Amino acid sequence: MKLRKVTAATATVFALALTATACGGDDGGDNNSSSGGGGDKIKIGIKYDQPGLGLKTPDGSFTGFDVDVATYVAKELGYKPDQIEWVETKSADRENALARGDVKFIAATYSITDERKEKVDFAGPYLLAHQDLLVKKGSGISEATDLNDKKLCSVTGSTSAQNVKKDFAPDAQLKQVGTYSECVAALQSGAVDALTTDDSILAGFAAQDQYKGKFELAGLKLSNENYGVGVKKGDTETVNKINDALEKMVSDKSWDKAVEANFGPAEYKNEPAPQIGNIVK
């Protein structure tokens, strides 16, 4: 009887152990969790087609200022670079990607506006950009009014070129194409005289090896574009953590190094780092 009792007790302990193991499940956690550690991954939205900001290279790696900012933030949230899953988030789908939970946050030339703040929350801003012109060096174009009777390129649906025509150069000849890369190629060939969009985007293109020394920014400030890190509406905890990470990035000079690495070759005269947490339009 004594042996039988020991065997039964042992079987009970073994069964409980199996039950505990089964209930424990895996420890992968939420892919978009900001807790970090273990085998977790974090999904981050970026652009894939903007040199100097967010670009997927032919070898499958990712480069750019937004990528550097997002990588630094992820590190402060507890994630190593190999735990980051980059997700392409095109402009038209950024709000939906956050609402669906496809990504934890987005760093993708995401200008903070009142309209967007109704749908998402923002950390930052982490860069103040301005609408500007990209021209060939020595073109003589230094003001928006110089574009009268000149050919101006921008992407279809962009308000940048329309603003130039409306406010500065009504006689500019507007050429609209599908991508900024097409505009840059047209500028190089002489098919257009200038390209307009955010100066940070223009600097990224100008810094590419094949264009170094060929283009320059006019240095105009036709608008203010405060880039923020988009977060799902109501996720205040993540916003606060990202703001803390951005403040650290500025204070330890990693922000300056990222600006120089990504925009330096274009001689981009960037604004100083904006005040983190000062969410403005």
Side-chain angles (χ1 to χ4, degrees):
M1 292 294 293
K2 185 174 183 180
L3 177 61
R4 188 176 298 116
K5 286 181 180 179
V6 172
T7 302
T10 303
T12 300
V13 171
F14 182 69
L16 287 173
L18 286 175
T19 302
T21 301
C23 291
D26 62 60
D27 59 356
D30 181 358
N31 282 343
N32 292 335
S33 170
S34 60
S35 59
D40 291 353
K41 286 186 175 291
I42 184 169
K43 294 181 179 180
I44 303 174
I46 58 170
K47 293 287 183 67
Y48 277 18
D49 59 353
Q50 290 184 340
L53 288 155
L55 181 70
K56 184 176 182 179
T57 64
D59 66 3
S61 60
F62 298 89
T63 64
F65 183 71
D66 284 346
V67 174
D68 289 346
V69 168
T71 301
Y72 190 99
V73 168
K75 179 193 71 174
E76 293 302 306
L77 295 181
Y79 296 91
K80 298 176 182 178
D82 62 2
Q83 291 178 290
I84 298 173
E85 182 177 338
W86 300 111
V87 179
E88 182 177 22
T89 49
K90 296 181 179 181
S91 296
D93 194 46
R94 287 178 296 202
E95 288 82 17
N96 291 332
L98 288 169
R100 291 191 303 260
D102 295 346
V103 293
K104 185 66 176 179
F105 64 83
I106 293 175
T109 59
Y110 205 175
S111 296
I112 300 169
T113 66
D114 288 340
E115 181 180 2
R116 288 171 179 164
K117 286 190 289 185
E118 294 178 0
K119 301 175 182 178
V120 303
D121 286 337
F122 285 99
Y126 62 89
L127 184 71
L128 173 57
H130 305 284
Q131 184 184 342
D132 200 356
L133 304 176
L134 186 68
V135 297
K136 280 188 173 180
K137 280 197 171 182
S139 69
I141 297 174
S142 59
E143 299 291 342
T145 52
D146 294 334
L147 291 171
N148 279 310
D149 298 320
K150 296 285 196 304
K151 295 176 182 177
L152 175 65
C153 190
S154 195
V155 299
T156 302
S158 168
T159 59
S160 299
Q162 299 291 350
N163 290 341
V164 171
K165 278 185 65 68
K166 175 177 176 289
D167 298 328
F168 303 101
D171 294 327
Q173 301 170 41
L174 180 58
K175 178 179 177 66
Q176 299 185 82
V177 296
T179 66
Y180 289 116
S181 296
E182 294 176 68
C183 276
V184 174
L187 181 61
Q188 184 180 30
S189 70
V192 300
D193 300 293
L195 159 62
T196 187
T197 187
D198 294 357
D199 55 6
S200 57
I201 297 174
L202 298 176
F205 278 106
Q208 288 186 293
D209 288 340
Q210 66 266 40
Y211 300 129
K212 285 180 181 177
K214 297 180 179 179
F215 301 140
E216 62 184 359
L217 278 72
L220 309 180
K221 297 180 179 179
L222 304 179
S223 70
N224 291 331
E225 306 295 335
N226 286 283
Y227 292 172
V229 178
V231 177
K232 187 174 183 179
K233 191 71 176 176
D235 190 356
T236 305
E237 180 182 2
T238 298
V239 168
N240 291 337
K241 288 181 178 180
I242 293 176
N243 278 335
D244 289 343
L246 293 174
E247 287 178 352
K248 183 176 178 181
M249 186 178 187
V250 172
S251 65
D252 70 11
K253 304 301 181 182
S254 295
W255 187 92
D256 297 284
K257 293 177 182 177
V259 168
E260 178 59 29
N262 292 291
F263 303 128
E267 300 178 1
Y268 175 50
K269 297 178 177 60
N270 64 282
E271 297 278 5
Q275 183 180 348
I276 308 302
N278 182 25
I279 299 300
V280 295
K281 181 175 180 181

